[in-house]
């Protein structure tokens, strides 16, 4: 009941994002039903039916990924101070978010079933539609209810389980003083440390000596805290206490309100997965090369083999794992060679948001590479995908792009306090817009050639 109330009172943007989840679930459920129809129409070709069902894994994963991204940006299930006192702790809010996701995906599954029955002519008594192949509709055969129910429940069950796993309450992380020695950024071995906050690196004048009245050196950097107080970081280990109480050091943070919910410990940058991403990406390209050299290009009217599917899956996984590290590296490169205020701001934001937008960027890069291979290799004499293949491609591309945009909205909401602080300090809005343009251009300059290289390497063994 609480999930229904939160769904009804949500904003229009939240409803639109949930509608996208329902549409993705409807398209995926329809493809799964078409795979079942092909199996019923061709009982003597189980291999082809299994291959069609395996190719449904790509839109299924994209739909679940979109559902998780939408659940993370839902303001109705975001923890707030005082909610635990009325029984709405992190665990209850996680359950509400999972239930809301299941409701949206179940609505899409029902729509998929109705559309499939309508195209078969079961609802109106009309002949089956010619837009979908007759062998995918299983015309004249009864649909097994257990199989239909299993396929339609698959998307809501996986989506709600993924949301519950992502939003589950986590225990506080151990302090950096007792953290074990492990791998640092980009796989470097060393002592682990906490993730740097926005502005902690490369601040204006942070490493410039300023001669004061007492001859001590102080940093010229400043940042604004959540309560609006000006926080400075001094090089002197014991800086003098301020007289007016408006400035304070980082070690003397203002006390939190009594009824406030404790802030979660910032999770470390997910850049240590970069070597693993490169390894998985290399393995995926190797599998594609071996399969292409063994079987060659697919014959007309046939779908790509299972080896190509496995290779593309490994390639997409590798790019997704390497995305946060590449985004973090892009932010560091922006701050290289004596950066100005614009490049510093853009680089720090990229480093801060690499764990949010890096993985969706990697997935979009994988989809773009697959689209390039499809357009260059599978054209004319390639396999005839038909309307079902086109629907699957549109589902994967649409879900990945929508996930990236949703992650960008989440990152924008996460840095809203910092943006307001910069505006209060007198930063012109044009500078913030220019920094956003610099971030977009830097990501395009890094991921664009990467997509082209991966696509060319994936297309070489198939273009013969």
């Amino acid at each position: 009941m609480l999930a229904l109330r939160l769904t009804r009172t949500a904003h229009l943007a939240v409803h639109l994002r949930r509608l996208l989840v329902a549409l993705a679930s409807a398209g995926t459920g329809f493809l799964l039903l078409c795979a079942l129809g092909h199996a019923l129409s061709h009982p003597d070709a189980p291999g082809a039916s299994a291959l069609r069902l395996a190719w449904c894994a790509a839109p299924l994963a994209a739909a679940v990924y979109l559902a998780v991204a939408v659940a993370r940006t839902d303001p109705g299930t975001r923890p707030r101070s005082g909610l635990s006192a009325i029984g709405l702790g992190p665990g209850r809010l996680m359950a509400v978010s999972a239930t809301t996701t299941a409701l949206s995906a179940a609505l899409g599954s029902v729509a998929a079933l109705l559309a499939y029955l309508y195209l078969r002519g079961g609802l109106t008594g009309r002949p089956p539609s010619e837009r979908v192949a007759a062998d995918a509709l299983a015309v004249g055969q009864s649909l097994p209810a257990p199989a239909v129910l299993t396929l339609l429940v698959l998307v809501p069950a996986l989506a709600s389980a993924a949301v519950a796993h992502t939003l589950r309450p986590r225990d506080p992380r151990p302090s950096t003083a007792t953290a074990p020695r492990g791998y640092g950024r980009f796989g470097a071995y060393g002592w682990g440390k906490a993730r740097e906050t926005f502005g902690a690196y490369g601040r204006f004048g942070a490493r410039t000596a300023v001669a004061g009245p007492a001859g001590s050196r102080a940093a010229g950097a400043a940042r604004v805290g959540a309560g609006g107080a000006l926080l400075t970081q001094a090089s002197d280990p014991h800086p003098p206490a301020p007289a007016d109480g408006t400035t304070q050091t980082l070690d003397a943070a203002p006390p939190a309100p009594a009824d406030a919910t404790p802030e979660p410990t910032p999770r470390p940058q997910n850049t240590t997965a970069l070597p693993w991403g490169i390894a998985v990406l290399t393995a995926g390209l190797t599998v594609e090369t071996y399969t292409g050299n063994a079987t060659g290009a697919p014959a007309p009217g046939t779908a790509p083999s299972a080896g190509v599917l496995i290779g593309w899956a490994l390639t997409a996984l590798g790019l997704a794992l390497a995305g946060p590290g590449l985004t973090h590296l892009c932010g560091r490169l922006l701050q290289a060679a004596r950066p100005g205020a614009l490049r510093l701001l853009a680089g720090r934001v990229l480093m801060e948001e690499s764990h949010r937008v890096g993985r969706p960027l990697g997935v979009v890069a994988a989809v773009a590479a697959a689209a390039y291979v499809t357009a260059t290799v599978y054209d004319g004499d390639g396999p005839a995908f038909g309307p079902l293949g086109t629907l699957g491609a549109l589902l994967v591309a649409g879900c990945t792009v929508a996930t990236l945009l949703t992650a960008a909205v989440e990152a924008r909401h996460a840095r809203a306090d910092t943006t307001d602080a910069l505006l209060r300090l007198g930063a012109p809005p044009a500078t913030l817009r220019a920094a956003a343009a610099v971030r977009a251009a830097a990501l395009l300059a890094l991921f664009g050639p990467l997509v082209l290289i991966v696509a060319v390497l994936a297309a070489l063994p198939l273009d013969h």
Side-chain angles (χ1 to χ4, degrees), residues 16-410:
L16 290 178
R17 290 196 290 266
R18 291 170 180 170
L19 181 60
L20 290 177
V21 175
L23 291 176
S25 177
T28 306
F30 184 79
L31 290 177
L32 291 172
L33 291 178
C34 289
L36 174 63
H38 186 273
L40 294 176
S41 302
H42 300 81
D44 54 343
S49 301
L51 184 59
R52 283 175 175 259
L53 185 62
W55 275 101
C56 293
L60 176 62
V64 172
Y65 197 34
L66 175 62
V68 172
V70 170
R72 288 172 58 92
T73 57
D74 192 349
T77 57
R78 188 173 301 169
R80 299 180 182 87
S81 59
L83 290 182
S84 298
I86 60 175
L88 293 179
R92 180 72 180 277
L93 291 178
M94 178 269 295
V96 170
S97 182
T99 305
T100 304
T101 303
L103 290 176
S104 301
L107 179 63
S109 296
V110 172
L113 177 61
L114 294 178
Y116 188 76
L117 294 178
Y118 176 79
L119 292 176
R120 292 185 73 217
L123 297 180
T124 60
R126 297 178 180 178
S129 175
E130 297 180 357
R131 298 179 180 178
V132 183
D135 56 352
L137 298 176
V139 180
Q141 301 185 23
S142 61
L143 297 177
V148 172
L149 183 61
T150 301
L151 293 177
L152 292 180
V153 171
L154 193 59
V155 179
L158 290 179
S160 59
V163 169
H165 176 75
T166 303
L167 302 182
R168 70 188 187 280
R170 293 176 174 86
D171 295 332
R173 294 181 179 272
S175 60
T176 57
T178 60
R181 190 175 183 180
Y183 289 93
R185 288 192 177 97
F186 307 107
Y189 188 76
W191 292 99
K193 62 178 182 179
R195 179 167 55 92
E196 297 174 350
T197 56
F198 180 84
Y201 177 82
R203 294 194 183 103
F204 301 101
R207 294 171 177 80
T208 305
V210 180
S216 62
R217 300 176 59 188
R223 68 181 179 94
V224 176
L230 185 64
L231 307 180
T232 60
Q233 184 179 17
S235 60
D236 191 356
H238 301 286
D244 53 357
T246 58
T247 59
Q248 55 185 0
T249 61
L250 290 175
D251 296 333
D259 58 345
T261 303
E263 293 291 336
T265 304
R267 60 181 182 177
Q269 298 279 352
N270 197 15
T271 56
T272 55
L274 181 58
W276 292 101
I278 296 175
V280 175
L281 174 62
T282 305
L285 293 176
T286 303
V287 171
E288 291 184 28
T289 302
Y290 176 78
T291 305
N293 292 332
T295 61
T302 60
S305 61
V308 175
L309 174 61
I310 295 175
W312 279 356
L314 290 176
T315 302
L317 179 61
L319 288 175
L321 291 176
L326 294 176
T327 306
H328 193 276
L329 177 62
C330 186
R332 282 188 173 272
L333 292 178
L334 274 179
Q335 302 174 82
R338 302 181 63 88
L342 187 62
R343 283 199 292 142
L344 271 178
L345 181 61
R348 285 304 299 172
V349 169
L350 276 183
M351 293 173 62
E352 183 74 14
E353 297 175 355
S354 60
H355 64 283
R356 288 190 179 94
V357 301
R359 189 159 298 173
L361 271 174
V363 176
V364 171
V367 172
Y372 178 85
V373 174
T374 304
T376 55
V377 177
Y378 301 145
D379 56 347
D381 297 334
F385 288 99
L388 295 180
T390 303
L391 176 61
L394 291 178
L395 274 176
V396 173
C399 289
T400 52
V401 173
T403 303
L404 178 59
L405 295 179
T406 306
V409 171
E410 180 189 5

